[in-house]
Amino acid sequence: MHIRDMLAEAERTGDPSFSFEYFPPKTAQGVQNLYDRMERMYNFGPKFIDITWGAGGRHAELTCEMVVQAQTYLGLEACMHLTCTDMGEEKVNDALRKAYKAGCTNILALRGDPPREKEKWEATDSGFLYARDLVAHIRKTYGNHFDIGVAGYPEGCDDNKDEDLLLDHLKEKVDMGATFIVTQMFYDVDNFVRWVGRVRERGITVPIVPGIMPIATYASFLRRANHMNCKIPEEWMAKLEPVKNDDVAVRELGKTLVADMCRKILAAGIRHLHFYTMNLAQATRMVLEELNWLPSPDRPLKQALPWKQSLGFGRRGEDVRPIFWRNRNKSYVARTQEWDEFPNGRWGDSRSPAFGELDAYGIGLTGTNEQNRKKWGEPTCIRDIANLFVRYLNKEIEYLPWSEAPVAEEADLIKNELIELNQRGLITVNSQPAVNGVKSTHPVHGWGPSNGYVYQKAYLEMFVSPALFPEIKQRIENHPDLTYHAVTKSGNLYTNAQSEGPNAVTWGVFPGMEIVQPTIVERISFLAWKDEAFQLGTEWARCYDAGSPSRLVVDEVMNDWFLVNIVNNDFHRGHTIFEVLIGLKVADLDKVPEPQTNGIKEHTNGAPNGVEASA
């Protein structure tokens, strides 16, 4: 989506919106940490993010990689910075191609700063001299595919303090095809409002997005303001100076000062603010909290679908996915990235094309063995594993081997039932409660356009002991509303589903649209998921020493237990699945497995026969 359209929407509705800027970190660990932070900050509700250009070599490649990560895996609309510094036409074209293939539709075109070893900015051979040249080239090459932003300088820039000349340059950039302006950081709102008036006097009508720098520490606040030659109001210094050595006090005071500044900007008619995060979350989050802009029941985070959409190339129209990957969004995107078409309107034949191999990047367990032991402890029995899942449901830990995100809010509806199942040794890896027609604007269950209604069937997925499976299988098959699939690591499959076709477990009804069915249960994709689910558990087991109780107990679950999913097709009754499982409990929950004397343990892998499909 183009940024100008987002800004027009904010203008039309009167609802303020915001966006974030990030820059490429210098280390591999820093990059991974930033991706994790970007994913968490996604839940703050930014309309888009932008990523600064790392001029030269690996840094430039990293900018392009971050755009891919944001668009494809995190579902964040990204705006890629592109500068003229050290960039000939061939390098510019390569960067634009990568942005295009990533699904990116927004570019911020900048001249850029001179390299550190040079005092003055110089164009490269066959390079671009000014940002206006870069804007013209992008527009000529890609037409209207990219929305193009340019920089504005309310207080001048490093090598030019002539406001009239800078306004002339800004007009030239817009005349060449720029469609929005992002300003340099500032703290003087009165000067900004005056500058906006001068911009409009020049006949420049495109939207102006003010750049906001939150205050994290006193030292960083001064350093950045001085670096940008940014005027600091005297009253700000009078308030900050006495607490400058107290970082907590500086942040508390800073959030109030910056939030008040934001309110003044909004009062001047600006509806969108752009936050320079410096790759940090806290200071920005505090300002958003002060403005009451974070998602809440009164201001829910709007979602087009019940799962996070990929904005990668060719995927914007995708609107159907299997529920199995609901807690592993990035893995699903990675395993389907080579598909030529993505499900739109209905789920097609999932056997062609096939799901990607499990050795692809981003599919396996992340983190080192030591990190994972620290996160999940060292279980020695089934009860220990179950208690880990209970801690996850209680939000005491954020991740599990099968969940790359914190537990969803809607799980609170069935939290007590899920906890009880785990305490009885039924290990729940995925679930959703039944929902019978709530408004699409509901703060927890809502998704899709306004004035619609959304529905869900109750769903449960769990690891089941082979000792309990026959009884569970019989109880499910005796109930007319329940369907299930059960499979072992080796592939022994049991099901009472009448066909391999999809069973919609989430759907929505909206004015002027066909019924949307974005989440399904389906046999072939479940078998693809089972390979991943068992591999994740096996990789978790390998975080522990061979022969240790932790390795043995996790391996036992992976090698001997069943992965079972259950759907209650009567969405009016939300607790049927739990009622069917009443009284079932794993024996010897506290038993610590012992290594076999000959070093070999024979695994049953469920029933010895191939597939049993019961009616």
Side-chain angles (χ1 to χ4, degrees):
M1 185 177 183
H2 284 159
I3 287 174
R4 68 170 180 266
D5 295 329
M6 303 179 206
L7 303 179
E9 180 185 9
E11 193 73 31
R12 184 176 63 254
T13 63
D15 294 331
S17 58
F18 56 90
S19 48
F20 298 147
E21 178 178 283
Y22 301 101
F23 61 85
K26 295 180 179 180
T27 67
Q29 186 60 54
V31 172
Q32 186 55 55
N33 290 343
L34 179 58
Y35 288 157
D36 292 342
R37 185 166 292 131
M38 288 166 63
E39 188 161 22
R40 289 194 297 272
M41 293 177 73
Y42 170 98
N43 295 314
F44 293 0
K47 286 293 183 181
F48 66 90
I49 66 166
D50 71 5
I51 299 171
T52 65
W53 184 253
R58 172 60 185 155
H59 295 295
E61 292 177 10
L62 185 52
T63 294
C64 295
E65 290 173 12
M66 289 176 65
V67 170
V68 171
Q69 185 78 13
Q71 293 275 153
T72 305
Y73 298 103
L74 303 182
L76 286 162
E77 200 76 63
C79 175
M80 186 179 81
H81 287 210
L82 189 58
T83 72
C84 302
T85 303
D86 289 337
M87 296 287 286
E89 184 171 335
E90 183 178 346
K91 289 183 178 180
V92 165
N93 287 337
D94 182 61
L96 290 171
R97 277 193 298 270
K98 289 176 178 176
Y100 181 90
K101 289 181 179 178
C104 177
T105 60
N106 301 283
I107 300 290
L108 189 65
L110 306 164
R111 189 200 70 176
D113 298 323
R116 289 185 177 181
E117 65 273 12
K118 296 181 180 179
E119 291 186 8
K120 295 184 178 181
W121 193 93
E122 298 175 1
T124 60
D125 294 338
S126 75
F128 300 92
L129 187 57
Y130 299 113
R132 68 178 183 229
D133 305 321
L134 189 54
V135 172
H137 176 75
I138 297 170
R139 192 61 75 204
K140 177 182 177 182
T141 308
Y142 283 90
N144 291 323
H145 174 80
F146 289 113
D147 208 17
I148 306 173
V150 291
Y153 302 96
E155 296 178 323
C157 61
D158 283 346
D159 57 358
N160 192 342
K161 299 298 180 183
D162 186 331
E163 183 170 276
D164 287 322
L165 186 57
L166 286 171
L167 289 173
D168 289 341
H169 292 166
L170 185 60
K171 182 69 164 62
E172 291 170 354
K173 290 185 283 189
V174 172
D175 289 344
M176 289 295 103
T179 47
F180 65 95
I181 298 163
V182 181
T183 77
Q184 195 71 273
M185 64 172 283
F186 62 88
Y187 293 116
D188 186 342
V189 178
D190 292 337
N191 179 67
F192 166 73
V193 173
R194 178 200 63 79
W195 177 81
V196 170
R198 293 215 62 198
V199 171
R200 297 309 184 210
E201 288 172 358
R202 292 295 181 106
I204 300 172
T205 60
V206 302
I208 296 172
V209 178
I212 311 296
M213 179 73 77
I215 298 175
T217 67
Y218 184 79
S220 64
F221 163 66
L222 281 187
R223 183 172 62 252
R224 290 162 189 158
N226 290 334
H227 177 69
M228 305 307 298
N229 294 313
C230 178
K231 178 185 175 182
I232 302 173
E234 290 182 5
E235 59 268 27
W236 284 38
M237 294 302 298
K239 291 178 179 180
L240 288 167
E241 177 72 21
V243 297
K244 64 183 181 181
N245 295 319
D246 185 341
D247 287 349
V248 173
V250 168
R251 280 193 292 271
E252 283 293 325
L253 184 55
K255 78 174 182 184
T256 303
L257 293 172
V258 175
D260 286 344
M261 167 185 158
C262 293
R263 294 186 185 102
K264 291 179 183 177
I265 294 171
L266 294 171
I270 301 292
R271 309 310 304 168
H272 185 97
L273 307 179
H274 188 61
F275 289 90
Y276 297 118
T277 70
M278 303 307 293
N279 290 1
L280 300 172
Q282 186 179 20
T284 300
R285 176 183 55 76
M286 291 174 70
V287 173
L288 295 175
E289 284 179 338
E290 185 73 10
L291 292 167
N292 198 28
W293 284 4
L294 288 179
S296 67
D298 296 327
R299 185 187 166 95
L301 185 63
K302 295 180 180 179
Q303 298 186 100
L305 294 164
W307 35 265
K308 188 184 294 184
Q309 285 180 288
S310 170
L311 302 179
F313 186 76
R315 297 195 80 131
R316 288 178 184 263
E318 178 186 15
D319 64 7
V320 186
R321 285 188 185 177
I323 196 172
F324 317 121
W325 283 271
R326 115 181 223 146
N327 297 322
R328 286 184 56 79
N329 179 72
K330 287 182 282 188
S331 168
Y332 180 80
V333 172
R335 293 190 68 182
T336 58
Q337 63 183 339
E338 299 302 325
W339 288 12
D340 295 324
E341 296 181 11
F342 299 95
N344 175 251
R346 68 180 185 86
W347 180 260
D349 187 347
S350 60
R351 288 168 292 190
S352 180
F355 286 87
E357 295 301 320
L358 291 176
D359 59 358
Y361 172 77
I363 292 176
L365 203 63
T366 60
T368 65
N369 290 351
E370 182 179 358
Q371 289 170 335
N372 291 332
R373 289 194 299 269
K374 185 176 181 180
K375 276 190 292 189
W376 301 317
E378 301 196 13
T380 60
C381 60
I382 298 300
R383 190 185 301 278
D384 288 347
I385 295 177
N387 285 341
L388 185 66
F389 281 75
V390 171
R391 291 180 60 209
Y392 176 72
L393 292 166
N394 282 326
K395 301 179 181 178
E396 296 171 14
I397 57 175
E398 291 189 333
Y399 310 109
L400 288 171
W402 298 272
S403 298
E404 62 187 12
V407 64
E409 283 188 61
E410 70 171 11
D412 287 344
L413 281 179
I414 52 175
K415 174 182 171 181
N416 292 336
E417 290 87 345
L418 294 172
I419 287 176
E420 186 186 6
L421 284 179
N422 282 284
Q423 289 173 338
R424 290 191 272 125
L426 298 166
I427 311 299
T428 61
V429 295
N430 195 356
S431 62
Q432 75 173 23
V435 173
N436 184 14
V438 302
K439 290 285 288 184
S440 58
T441 52
H442 190 280
V444 175
H445 306 296
W447 54 272
S450 301
N451 302 317
Y453 289 88
V454 297
Y455 301 79
Q456 293 181 178
K457 296 175 182 177
Y459 173 82
L460 180 67
E461 184 179 325
M462 57 188 174
F463 287 112
V464 172
S465 162
L468 291 184
F469 177 69
E471 176 65 19
I472 291 177
K473 176 176 177 291
Q474 183 176 352
R475 291 188 185 190
I476 294 172
E477 291 177 349
N478 287 339
H479 199 291
D481 296 326
L482 302 183
T483 51
Y484 79 98
H485 296 82
V487 68
T488 61
K489 182 179 181 181
S490 62
N492 294 311
L493 174 69
Y494 300 81
T495 181
N496 66 345
Q498 297 299 309
S499 73
E500 293 184 355
N503 179 5
V505 291
T506 306
W507 64 100
V509 181
F510 307 99
M513 297 174 61
E514 293 184 356
I515 293 176
V516 182
Q517 302 178 27
T519 315
I520 56 102
V521 166
E522 183 265 349
R523 184 183 303 178
I524 302 301
S525 53
F526 178 61
L527 293 177
W529 162 245
K530 101 44 197 177
D531 292 337
E532 184 172 332
F534 281 110
Q535 175 167 309
L536 288 166
T538 299
E539 291 179 359
W540 179 29
R542 290 173 182 165
C543 294
Y544 307 102
D545 293 338
S548 67
S550 297
R551 168 78 77 92
L552 292 173
V553 73
V554 178
D555 269 341
E556 176 187 324
V557 174
M558 293 301 101
N559 291 324
D560 296 347
W561 289 35
F562 289 80
L563 181 64
V564 180
N565 72 60
I566 309 171
V567 177
N568 179 10
N569 294 290
D570 182 355
F571 58 89
H572 298 93
R573 298 178 59 84
H575 287 79
T576 300
I577 294 176
F578 301 111
E579 292 165 359
V580 165
L581 299 174
I582 286 175
L584 296 175
K585 181 178 180 180
V586 171
D588 299 323
L589 281 171
D590 297 305
K591 182 180 178 181
V592 178
E594 297 180 1
Q596 300 298 301
T597 55
N598 60 2
I600 299 174
K601 181 181 178 183
E602 185 175 333
H603 301 294
T604 62
N605 281 321
N609 302 321
V611 175
E612 176 185 313
S614 50

